[in-house]
DNA sequence: TTGTAAGCGTTATCAA
DNA sequence: TTGATAACGCTTACAA
């Protein structure tokens, strides 16, 4: 079709003057009239909430087809019912960034699954307080809100949500008493991982951590820096490991990526024959992606995993690029987190009070850990 | 809070009998009344569409605060305005699967950016014709629809959309005359890649393709199988390469993954010293992830890239796990695709006719190609 | 700058 | 099984 242009505009206004009075889409009322039934009957034919005789239904359906009526307008329906069938998911970051994290993706997957069962779709919302973002929780027709990647800033969203009286579910974060929570318990599984390594005779252990949130460069960190960690998950996982291995060397990565793991791994494993530092016999990475990188670094240096060095991860996700290895890792129920959040949404929509759920991680022994190498 | 229980239920019904008559949320009418202004004035205070005296505005705002009114109900507003501020994105697959593809993620990113500017959010919809999926295009209050991963089946969605009269944008697919399209032109860039390899002296070239859509196992394929390829993108990219290298060996992968690339790479590169097959001097992979895997396979086998073997990709995405290499590749404007789709949505929402856009790929020379190794 | 009034298209309730 | 009626909460010409 042509773009706007003078000639076209003229002909358009011509059409406009002598066009039929009502070029608007058919409504359910039109259908009802055409079918010779009441509006409520027509409505019920589409919603299926009440029994309608076959004959009547057919008449309504025929009329609808005739008029090109495609079913009730969701906007009107949602005004009337008070439900839009949409649940907002608030992400802290760019999608690109968020979906780089396989755990987050899996959680989203579980969430969409659960919500689909419920009959709801997922509206992606990025929480960016700075940007001029006109579609926010203020103006989106949503029935509930799920907070997925929580940082302290995310909680600003909560005020808006509370004001609207929307049900809120917070995944791994603190949303206050009126929000439902989905929490993870990794204590037991982490302890098992520690024991596993201890039992294999590992004493020289190193840790590759997620970022501290302090804008540090990748590398070895000091106790002082450890004390100032600002990312909760990093701090907790580190604490869990250091309970068993208080003297472990700690390398902070700049993110949960394979390539970061490679760099951290080199730092730890590429040690001069008789330099001051000894090569650890086991490396505990705070994510599977980091662990995959460490495995890679080891192999690059001609070290065999697990014969020469053991490597463990955290998350239990499938890592593309790990080759034949199966990581020894703490498996977190990523998709289950989403499903639990979906279930919580369902409950709150049913009017039940916000209730929280604690999900357990499990410890999985893979092929990347073995007896400590004799030094 | 306690779960439903007998005692609780009793006390609840007690409360119910003697609670205040109207526990419903305040509406804009309530606010107007409390502020002593008309409904329209109150409305305008929130929408900002018309000038309101500071005094009046303040009175309205105060009344709203007093009543705990959090702004206009989006459901009602969207019924009235005919806009919900939501655009549906239809994906063919599980989110998990869709977001494994870095190109798709980047496109989503561009799309959400563009739509945010427009004031719209993105509703994720999975097109699954089989499943019982109550929130579909039929029932979702959306202003427009973007089809992202198109397969022939996706077009079923189109009928529903058309019936609703919603604007449609199809990214890399054929949505018919009334849809806007975003298309990619890689001819030029592909030709440049071919020329690049030719100029470097490569003649023994192999191709690692995306799946054929024929449920084939990973491995070498026959001409007959090539003739039956059912995935358009695979066919087109293969055709482009074979124009220049008609005799290239072809290995089909089972998906766009690094690990698939590794396996395909081994198949091509791990050849016996004096077996029947010669080792190719260059491998053209149909995706960057596959290419990354091929690079890896080469290095595992002790071959240097690009000294012993050149590797090229397709997509131009950042690949985690590629180490220091920069792939020689065809860069497609992934995010731009999304942005273009967003722009198309904006235009159609403004009432302009569906118009289509063709985006160009570019050829990028990285560090993974070099002169053909002498055999 | 503010007010009046007329819907937007549905569905829930109740009665027939 | 069907029908009449009254909301649902808001926006926007248009008038004052």
């Amino acid at each position: 079709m042509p773009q706007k242009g003078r000639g076209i505009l003229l002909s358009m206004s011509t059409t406009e003057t002598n066009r039929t009075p009502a070029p608007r889409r058919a409504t359910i009322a039109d259908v009802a009239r055409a079918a010779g039934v009441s509006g409520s009957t027509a409505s019920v034919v589409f919603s299926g909430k009440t029994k309608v005789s076959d004959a009547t239904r057919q008449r309504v359906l025929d009329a609808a087809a005739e008029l090109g009526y495609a079913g009730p307008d969701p906007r009107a329906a949602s005004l009337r019912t008070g439900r839009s069938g949409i649940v907002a998911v608030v992400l802290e970051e760019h999608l690109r960034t968020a979906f780089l994290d396989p755990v987050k993706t899996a959680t989203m997957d579980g969430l969409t699954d659960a919500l689909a069962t419920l009959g709801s779709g997922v509206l992606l919302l990025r929480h960016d307080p700075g940007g001029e973002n006109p579609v926010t929780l203020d103006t989106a027709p949503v029935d509930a809100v799920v907070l997925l990647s929580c940082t302290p800033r995310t909680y600003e969203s909560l005020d808006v949500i509370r004001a609207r009286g929307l049900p809120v579910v917070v995944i791994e974060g603190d949303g206050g008493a009126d929000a439902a929570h989905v929490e993870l318990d990794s204590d037991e599984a982490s302890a098992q991982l520690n024991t596993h390594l201890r039992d294999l005779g590992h004493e020289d252990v190193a840790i590759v951590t997620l970022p501290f949130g302090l804008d540090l460069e990748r590398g070895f960190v000091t106790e002082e820096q450890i004390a100032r960690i600002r990312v909760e998950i990093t701090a907790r996982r580190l604490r869990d490991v250091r309970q068993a291995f208080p003297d472990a060397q700690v390398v902070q990565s700049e993110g949960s990526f394979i390539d970061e793991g490679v760099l951290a791994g080199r730092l730890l494993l590429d040690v001069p024959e008789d330099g001051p530092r000894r090569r650890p016999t086991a490396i505990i990475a705070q994510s599977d992606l980091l662990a995959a990188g460490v495995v890679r670094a080891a192999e690059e240096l001609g070290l065999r995993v697990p014969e020469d060095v053991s490597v463990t991860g955290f998350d239990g996700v499938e890592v593309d690029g790990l080759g034949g290895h199966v990581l020894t890792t703490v498996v977190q129920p990523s998709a289950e987190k989403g499903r639990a959040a979906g279930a919580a949404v369902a409950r709150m929509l049913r009017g039940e009070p916000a209730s929280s759920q604690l999900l357990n991680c499990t410890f999985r022994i893979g092929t990347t850990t073995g007896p400590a190498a004799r030094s």
Side-chain angles (χ1 to χ4, degrees), chain A:
Chain A
M1 272 179 78
Q3 299 286 344
K4 275 186 185 180
R6 251 191 232 116
I8 300 302
L9 274 177
L10 275 176
S11 79
M12 277 172 73
S13 30
T14 309
T15 325
E16 208 152 339
T17 46
N18 58 0
R19 72 176 168 202
T20 50
R24 51 173 250 280
R25 301 194 67 74
T27 73
I28 202 172
D30 300 326
V31 173
R33 204 173 309 119
V37 301
S38 76
S40 29
T41 303
S43 171
V44 157
V45 166
F46 289 104
S47 73
K49 299 249 181 197
T50 319
K51 281 249 177 302
V52 180
S53 78
D54 281 350
T56 312
R57 178 208 317 293
Q58 204 42 250
R59 232 160 356 117
V60 171
L61 259 24
D62 289 348
E66 180 74 24
L67 296 172
Y69 178 75
D73 181 332
R75 283 177 274 262
S78 76
L79 171 57
R80 180 61 240 228
T81 59
R83 287 280 155 82
S84 65
I86 296 184
V87 173
V89 172
V90 181
L91 298 168
E92 173 77 18
E93 327 136 282
H94 263 251
L95 295 192
R96 186 173 21 207
T97 318
F99 293 145
L100 228 46
D101 177 355
V103 172
K104 223 162 264 175
T105 314
T107 303
M108 281 293 296
D109 221 22
L111 181 63
T112 48
D113 268 7
L115 291 180
T117 315
L118 210 162
S120 292
V122 166
L123 178 68
L124 251 28
L125 248 34
R126 180 145 50 89
H127 170 74
D128 79 318
E132 198 60 33
N133 197 346
V135 162
T136 51
L137 295 164
D138 309 34
T139 64
V142 300
D143 297 337
V145 178
V146 175
L147 261 46
L148 182 45
S149 51
C150 301
T151 67
R153 287 200 342 225
T154 318
Y155 300 123
E156 299 168 18
S157 305
L158 276 178
D159 296 334
V160 185
I161 302 170
R162 256 194 277 270
R164 283 220 163 274
L166 293 174
V168 189
V169 179
V170 178
I171 298 179
E172 289 185 274
D174 182 3
D178 45 1
H181 292 265
V182 175
E183 286 299 333
L184 223 52
D185 183 352
S186 61
D187 292 356
E188 175 71 21
S190 292
Q192 284 179 281
L193 186 145
N194 290 342
T195 308
H196 172 70
L197 289 178
R198 273 245 171 281
D199 289 352
L200 288 170
H202 293 280
E203 305 204 334
D204 277 349
V205 168
I207 306 171
V208 177
T209 76
L210 295 166
F212 282 14
L214 301 173
D215 279 328
L216 300 179
E217 275 182 23
R218 170 183 40 250
F220 292 96
V221 292
T222 65
E223 282 300 323
E224 188 268 335
Q225 288 167 328
I226 290 177
R228 290 193 297 126
I229 295 180
R230 290 184 53 196
V231 180
E232 213 225 302
I233 190 174
T234 308
R236 190 177 48 224
R237 291 185 189 176
L238 187 52
R239 205 181 313 122
D240 284 348
V241 173
R242 301 225 303 174
Q243 271 178 355
F245 301 100
D247 303 324
Q249 311 173 61
V250 180
V251 168
Q252 186 223 216
S253 75
E254 292 181 17
S256 181
F257 305 107
I258 294 178
D259 282 337
E260 278 290 319
V262 170
L263 296 170
R266 281 190 200 139
L267 239 40
L268 286 164
L269 296 172
D270 194 6
V271 294
E273 273 293 325
D274 27 75
R277 269 198 315 104
R278 289 199 347 191
R279 194 162 63 212
T281 62
I283 298 181
I284 299 178
Q286 285 193 339
S287 84
D288 284 355
L289 292 179
L290 285 171
V294 172
V295 168
R296 183 102 162 254
E299 291 178 342
E300 274 179 16
L301 294 167
L303 300 169
R304 291 159 306 160
V305 175
E307 289 80 358
D308 300 318
V309 58
S310 288
V311 180
T312 69
F314 201 110
D315 286 340
V317 297
E318 284 218 11
V319 181
D320 181 26
L322 195 51
H325 290 291
V326 177
L327 277 175
T328 295
T329 195
V330 172
V331 180
Q332 64 162 297
S334 328
E336 189 53 45
K337 283 196 289 190
R339 256 175 260 125
V345 166
R347 281 195 299 274
M348 295 178 86
L349 251 26
R350 253 184 268 123
E352 299 172 26
S355 66
S356 299
Q357 201 171 341
L358 189 65
L359 300 174
N360 278 302
C361 296
T362 55
F363 173 57
R364 178 185 78 194
I365 298 181
T367 61
T368 57
T369 43
R374 291 302 188 85
S375 56

